[in-house]
Amino acid sequence: MSLKTIHEIDIVKAPHSKIASVDFDNLIFGNTFTDHMLVCDFKDGAWGKPLIKPYEPFLIDPSAKVFHYGQAIFEGMKAYKDESDDVWLFRPDQNLERFNKSAVRMAMPEVPEDIFLGGLNEILKLEKDWVKKGMGNSLYIRPFMIAFGTGVVAAPSTQYRFMIILSPAKAYYSGEVKVIIAEHYSRAANGGIGAAKAAGNYSAQFYPQKLANEQGFQQIIWTDDATHTKLEEAGTMNVFFRIGDKLMTAPVSERILDGVTRKSIIALAKSMGIAVEERSVLVEELIQGMKDGTLKEIFGAGTAAVVSVIRAFCYQDTTYELPVQDDSFALKLKEKLTNIQYKLEDDPFGWTVKIG
């Protein structure tokens, strides 16, 4: 695919760049932002002209509905630079599609392709120097939309603000991840907003995540809200299980996010001859797999880490240590996927899109 051109956009350049003051070797994920941001407002039933301007705070009314009724959605993407200094995106059409599905579910207006992808193309051309070469280096992209309309009546807003901000990032090393399987708390429920990238989904995870951290676990594997027997997601990532030589992951649903990394890993695995099943995986299958030696790997998949290997899981106060695999599916898939993202291998799927 190619990025749609945006014909109507205003650009106000920052008088000075702060890039020289940034230590790119010691970045804290999501804490440093580039010189510019994109802003586009929706009011009177239509989107206005997008504006790229210097990154800065902005004023918002205390009664803005984002504060009171939580109308806020976002996406997570990355830009990569190859050895020829070209900048690439990875499957941005999928992020736009999911963003607009989230918007519909949250009663917010959909963002047109030319504003989302065309505007992203323009701001990335402006911020190209912030994308550093080398495996592990990237520019994290955060498109988001908030309810900007005022008033504390419990009803959808009539005004919204769409924005894109950019943050340089290094390789995301999570180390040895230990998880606890949820037995009480749920990430999402049928009929809810679990499949939307809504801000409230993530804030609701913070308390059970805090409890897990206090017990020495880095993440939670969420289970279904009704029975707590079906394994669904790992923290904020989709989760995969290797039982024997088969890879399994929960199907997308109202409760489970349709992850871009998830669907890419499924396609890659199939192309590599790995059998994949999209079905509900039960907690009891993991326990049995540990007993008979068929459970080989568990890993999370998401934009930040790409693949996060899980070394142990806890269920009902018993911790199970997973064996180290010489032929790890997780590591093979991560290498293949990142090589495509960084243009170190051919992209037979047509997933990568050049900025320019």
Side-chain angles (χ1 to χ4, degrees):
M1 66 166 291
S2 59
L3 296 182
K4 190 169 184 178
T5 302
I6 185 166
H7 300 289
E8 295 286 329
I9 189 167
D10 289 330
I11 299 176
V12 178
K13 292 186 178 181
H16 305 287
S17 175
K18 57 179 179 280
I19 193 169
S21 66
V22 175
D23 182 356
F24 283 89
D25 293 326
N26 295 287
L27 293 167
I28 299 173
F29 186 82
N31 274 27
T32 301
F33 296 94
T34 66
D35 295 318
H36 299 89
M37 61 186 188
L38 181 143
V39 182
C40 190
D41 289 336
F42 179 93
K43 59 182 179 180
D44 299 326
W47 286 101
K49 183 190 290 188
L51 169 65
I52 293 175
K53 60 184 293 188
Y55 183 96
E56 61 185 2
F58 58 87
L59 293 174
I60 185 168
D61 194 285
S63 72
K65 296 207 173 195
V66 65
F67 298 138
H68 302 276
Y69 303 109
Q71 277 185 294
I73 61 172
F74 68 94
E75 273 296 319
M77 310 166 64
K78 283 182 178 179
Y80 310 87
K81 182 173 282 185
D82 66 18
E83 290 305 311
S84 300
D85 284 330
D86 290 320
V87 176
W88 298 82
L89 292 172
F90 182 75
R91 307 190 76 177
D93 57 319
Q94 298 297 305
N95 293 100
L96 170 62
E97 180 181 318
R98 188 172 63 182
F99 189 87
N100 280 334
K101 285 181 179 178
S102 297
V104 169
R105 182 61 183 85
M106 298 298 289
M108 304 169 84
E110 295 181 62
V111 177
E113 181 180 344
D114 65 328
I115 293 176
F116 189 107
L117 295 182
L120 180 55
N121 186 59
E122 292 302 315
I123 194 171
L124 285 174
K125 286 195 295 184
L126 194 61
E127 305 287 53
K128 182 177 180 179
D129 290 345
W130 287 83
V131 192
K132 299 302 182 183
K133 289 192 292 190
M135 181 65 74
N137 294 319
S138 63
L139 188 65
Y140 184 77
I141 301 164
R142 174 52 61 91
F144 65 99
M145 178 165 47
I146 59 174
F148 220 64
T150 58
V152 293
V153 175
S157 178
T158 58
Q159 297 181 36
Y160 297 88
R161 174 161 288 184
F162 170 70
M163 298 185 66
I164 299 175
I165 56 177
L166 310 169
S167 178
K170 293 289 288 181
Y172 189 95
Y173 296 108
S174 56
E176 298 289 298
V177 177
K178 294 169 58 180
V179 301
I180 187 168
I181 295 177
E183 299 178 60
H184 173 70
Y185 293 101
S186 300
R187 195 195 83 84
N190 285 333
I193 59 171
K197 280 190 77 72
N201 280 345
Y202 296 80
S203 59
Q205 295 183 43
F206 292 160
Y207 178 66
Q209 179 73 51
K210 174 177 176 287
L211 298 180
N213 294 159
E214 289 171 351
Q215 296 178 66
F217 301 97
Q218 288 75 44
Q219 291 287 356
I220 300 169
I221 292 187
W222 302 102
T223 49
D224 68 292
D225 63 298
T227 67
H228 291 292
T229 61
K230 300 174 183 177
L231 300 154
E232 303 211 316
E233 293 189 345
T236 58
M237 300 181 291
N238 296 112
V239 63
F240 287 82
F241 308 92
R242 177 186 174 185
I243 298 179
D245 284 327
K246 187 174 292 184
L247 205 55
M248 302 176 187
T249 191
V252 294
S253 67
E254 291 179 307
R255 303 189 306 272
I256 296 175
L257 196 68
D258 187 11
V260 178
T261 306
R262 172 193 178 276
K263 65 179 68 176
S264 303
I265 283 177
I266 290 172
L268 276 175
K270 290 179 178 178
S271 74
M272 295 163 65
I274 298 171
V276 181
E277 283 188 11
E278 295 180 67
R279 68 167 178 84
S280 294
V281 180
L282 303 178
V283 178
E284 64 186 32
E285 291 183 75
L286 297 197
I287 307 303
Q288 184 59 42
M290 290 303 301
K291 290 178 179 177
D292 61 23
T294 57
L295 179 60
K296 305 294 186 183
E297 296 180 81
I298 305 175
F299 60 91
T303 299
V306 184
V307 167
S308 184
V309 175
I310 294 169
R311 291 300 182 200
F313 68 91
C314 178
Y315 181 66
Q316 294 184 344
D317 298 323
T318 299
T319 298
Y320 301 87
E321 300 280 345
L322 283 134
V324 176
Q325 299 295 324
D326 293 331
D327 64 336
S328 168
F329 284 3
L331 298 183
K332 288 178 182 178
L333 289 163
K334 181 175 184 177
E335 180 181 26
K336 190 75 174 176
L337 186 55
T338 53
N339 281 349
I340 290 174
Q341 291 171 334
Y342 286 90
K343 306 303 288 183
L344 298 174
E345 290 188 26
D346 290 337
D347 173 16
F349 303 95
W351 287 338
T352 51
V353 182
K354 188 177 177 180
I355 294 299

